């Protein structure tokens, strides 16, 4: 599967309506929304009051990436946005299995994210219960950072784990995705590509989505 998820973090926050207009008419598949708390990551982005407005501006699936401590406290807030995917960090969840269950009970798909230094072996006993595994391909907290090359090997090993266990999880990547790194990631076995600075702020972001899709579809 080859899905593109533009990350709103890179948007012009003074004109979200305009940003959502190109997003809606583009070939983009999901809208990736980065919530940060200044504790789990060294930055603060936007919270639920902002997302409630954004959610009304699109019918495409929302992928809510919670870079916060204790994300399990916000399952109902994310559900109330109408989100399709609730995305929590492995490092932030002491009882990850319970949190995944709660996300499913709320009617959403469960995505579990790993920081660059967290080994994929930490997911061995939950890989068959999650819908998406997202690998951070930069350290979370900021957009427009340099892609961590080691991630390619990590994607390959995650793909092997998914095949070996019979898991149905999709592989998503977040950080430093652009026209150079996307084909390499496609070759390694990625399904969902989050991209912020490679799309927003460009003269024609919808065309950037199309080009990115073409590149990964051709791998
Ligand atoms: C980083 C966020 C990303 C970010 C990616 O912590 O999770 O979603 O927006 O930005 P780019 O694509 O610019 O690396
Ligand atoms: Zn993200």
């Amino acid at each position: 599967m080859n899905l593109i998820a533009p990350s709103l973090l890179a948007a012009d926050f003074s004109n979200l309506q305009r940003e959502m207009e190109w997003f809606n008419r583009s070939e983009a598949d999901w809208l990736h929304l980065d919530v940060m708390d200044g504790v789990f990551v060294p930055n603060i982005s936007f919270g639920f009051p902002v997302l409630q407005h954004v959610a009304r501006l699109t019918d495409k699936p929302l992928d809510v990436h919670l870079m916060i401590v204790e994300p399990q406290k916000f399952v109902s807030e994310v559900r109330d946005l109408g989100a399709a995917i609730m995305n929590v960090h492995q490092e932030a969840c002491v009882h990850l299995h319970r949190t995944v269950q709660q996300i499913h009970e709320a009617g959403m798909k469960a995505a579990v994210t790993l920081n660059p230094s967290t080994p994929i072996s930490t997911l061995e006993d939950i890989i068959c219960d999650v819908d998406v595994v997202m690998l951070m391909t930069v350290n979370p907290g900021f957009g427009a950072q340099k892609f961590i090359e080691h991630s390619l090997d990590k994607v390959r090993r995650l793909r092997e784990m998914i095949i070996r266990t019979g898991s149905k999880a999709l592989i998503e990547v977040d950080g430093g995705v652009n026209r150079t790194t996307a084909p390499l990631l496609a070759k390694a076995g990625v399904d969902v590509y989050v991209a912020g600075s490679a799309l927003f702020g460009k003269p024609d972001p919808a065309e950037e989505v199309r080009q990115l899709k073409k590149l990964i579809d051709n791998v």
Side-chain angles (χ1 to χ4, degrees), residues 181-193:
T181 56
L184 305 174
L185 288 161
K187 217 167 161 192
V190 168
D191 299 297
V192 188
Y193 302 76

Side-chain angles (χ1 to χ4, degrees), residues 159-174:
R159 177 55 67 199
E160 280 167 17
M161 184 195 273
I162 287 173
I163 292 169
R164 173 170 53 78
T165 56
S167 162
K168 301 236 181 330
L170 297 178
I171 301 179
E172 181 173 11
V173 285
D174 187 7

Side-chain angles (χ1 to χ4, degrees), residues 13 22 28 35 83 100-101 131 157 178 210:
F13 292 146
W22 78 250
V35 179
V100 165
Q101 274 179 332
D131 303 289
R157 285 182 287 113
N178 55 38
R210 213 173 65 82

Side-chain angles (χ1 to χ4, degrees), residues 19-20 37 55 65 73 80 89 122 141 158 162 164 169 182 204:
E19 300 282 31
M20 294 305 289
D37 65 355
H65 177 196
K73 288 184 177 168
D80 291 349
H89 271 254
T122 56
L158 176 58
I162 287 173
R164 173 170 53 78
D204 187 350

Side-chain angles (χ1 to χ4, degrees), residues 7 9 32 34 36 65 67 136 140-144 174-176 194-197:
S7 168
L9 189 65
H32 185 84
D34 291 302
M36 303 181 189
H65 177 196
M67 284 165 275
M136 287 309 305
F142 303 92
D174 187 7
V194 176
S197 53

Side-chain angles (χ1 to χ4, degrees), residues 87-115:
N87 195 325
V88 298
H89 271 254
Q90 186 272 351
E91 303 85 1
C93 296
V94 178
H95 300 289
L96 182 59
H97 190 271
R98 178 183 291 144
T99 303
V100 165
Q101 274 179 332
Q102 288 168 339
I103 294 170
H104 283 153
E105 279 160 17
M108 295 179 284
K109 292 199 184 309
V112 174
T113 295
L114 299 183
N115 281 334

Side-chain angles (χ1 to χ4, degrees), residues 4-146:
I4 307 275
S7 168
L8 196 76
L9 189 65
D12 176 351
F13 292 146
S14 68
N15 208 336
L16 287 176
Q17 194 142 7
R18 195 189 56 207
E19 300 282 31
M20 294 305 289
E21 276 162 19
W22 78 250
F23 170 77
N24 284 330
R25 66 176 162 74
S26 78
E27 293 173 23
D29 300 280
W30 297 352
L31 182 64
H32 185 84
L33 299 166
D34 291 302
V35 179
M36 303 181 189
D37 65 355
V39 179
F40 183 71
V41 287
N43 197 8
I44 297 175
S45 53
F46 39 72
F48 294 106
V50 173
L51 294 186
Q52 279 152 13
H53 288 278
V54 171
R56 285 199 277 271
L57 299 175
T58 187
D59 292 328
K60 296 198 192 197
L62 307 179
D63 172 27
V64 182
H65 177 196
L66 298 172
M67 284 165 275
I68 63 173
V69 296
E70 303 188 302
Q72 73 280 358
K73 288 184 177 168
F74 296 95
V75 174
S76 56
E77 279 81 354
V78 177
R79 182 208 49 213
D80 291 349
L81 289 174
I85 304 116
M86 176 160 164
N87 195 325
V88 298
H89 271 254
Q90 186 272 351
E91 303 85 1
C93 296
V94 178
H95 300 289
L96 182 59
H97 190 271
R98 178 183 291 144
T99 303
V100 165
Q101 274 179 332
Q102 288 168 339
I103 294 170
H104 283 153
E105 279 160 17
M108 295 179 284
K109 292 199 184 309
V112 174
T113 295
L114 299 183
N115 281 334
S117 67
T118 306
I120 57 165
S121 56
T122 56
L123 298 181
E124 186 77 40
D125 291 289
I126 201 161
I127 191 88
C128 293
D129 299 307
V130 302
D131 303 289
V132 180
V133 174
M134 189 169 90
L135 299 181
M136 287 309 305
T137 42
V138 299
N139 283 295
F142 303 92
Q145 300 181 82
K146 194 176 171 300

